[in-house]
Structure formats: C-alpha cells, structure tokens
Amino acid sequence: EVQLMEHGGGSVQAGGSLRLSCTASGFTFDDSDMGWVRQTPGNECELVSILKSDGSTYYADSVKGRFTVSQDNAKNTVSLQMNILKPEDTARYYCSAVELRTRVPGGLKRLNIRCPYEYHYWGLGTQVTVSS
C-alpha cells in the first residue's frame, strides 16, 4: 500500500521556522520526483517545491530563498525546511510523488478539483499557520 505521511506542521509567528517531513512507503522512492503543494483556506493552490530524482530542485518565486527541500533516501523521507515564514504561507501542505518508470494504476491524479497539479500519490497534508 502506498503511503505519504506528512509531519511537522503547526502554528508559528511570522519570521519563525518550521520543518515539514514526508515519509514515503509502498513505491520506488529513489526513482520518483517529489513535490510539495499547498492549498490556502481560500482554496488557492500553489506548487511550492519539487525535488526531482536527479537532485534538481524547483521553488515557487514566493518561497525562493526561504524554503529548502531535501531528501534522505535511506529513510524514504523528503523534507521542506521553511524559514522566515509569512502569514501568506498559511496553508495546508501536501507531499506528492510521481514515479518515473512505473506504470501506476489510475495514473496521475489531482489533489482536488481546485488544484491543477497532477501526481501519482498524495499525502493527507499538514496544516501550517503563520500569525502576524
């Protein structure tokens, strides 16, 4: 059974830091691109960061210089270090994965109808709340 389980959300004041972690199981973690997607209370959806299997990364302009994505293949974990948090970072953060060389039953899926990003697997999300 495929699982993506996020940890580390919480409430913090502006300027603070949080570290999100996502533990993966049930699929080929080493051969997958991992993503972090967030959805605000108003249902705005943003692709925050990608960590590709080749080690390359992507960050949304809104988080560049403040967020850092990393992974530990030995622990099947991808993490998102979030520094200098702002109230506009308040959202539910979802870990996602796409397997690169496996045909996955059901194919790519969106998180929900309001979120256009497609991945094979999604976690249940963890809430991050930043107060001013």
Side-chain angles (χ1 to χ4, degrees):
E1 181 189 4
V2 171
Q3 276 196 326
L4 291 174
M5 191 168 296
E6 301 95 339
H7 305 277
S11 296
V12 66
Q13 287 196 319
S17 298
L18 283 172
R19 184 177 182 85
L20 306 183
S21 293
C22 171
T23 302
S25 61
F27 65 96
T28 311
F29 182 77
D30 293 356
D31 208 19
S32 299
D33 290 348
M34 304 298 295
W36 286 96
V37 173
R38 67 186 180 187
Q39 193 160 35
T40 67
N43 284 321
E44 291 183 16
C45 196
E46 183 177 26
L47 178 60
V48 174
S49 181
I50 299 171
L51 178 54
K52 296 195 170 186
S53 63
D54 65 2
S56 60
T57 58
Y58 159 85
Y59 296 97
D61 287 343
S62 58
V63 308
K64 234 175 246 184
R66 301 187 296 123
F67 290 13
T68 304
V69 66
S70 61
Q71 79 181 42
D72 184 338
N73 285 342
K75 296 181 180 178
N76 278 15
T77 299
V78 60
S79 298
L80 186 69
Q81 178 66 41
M82 306 187 296
N83 298 327
I84 317 174
L85 282 162
K86 304 176 181 180
E88 51 263 44
D89 294 318
T90 294
R92 191 164 185 86
Y93 285 70
Y94 296 88
C95 176
S96 56
V98 57
E99 290 199 75
L100 300 176
R101 280 179 260 280
T102 301
R103 180 166 289 187
V104 175
L108 297 169
K109 295 175 282 291
R110 292 186 177 191
L111 175 64
N112 54 52
I113 196 170
R114 293 181 179 269
C115 202
Y117 309 106
E118 295 186 327
Y119 282 84
H120 285 137
Y121 314 118
W122 292 90
L124 295 179
T126 185
Q127 180 66 34
V128 171
T129 302
V130 184
S131 57
S132 57

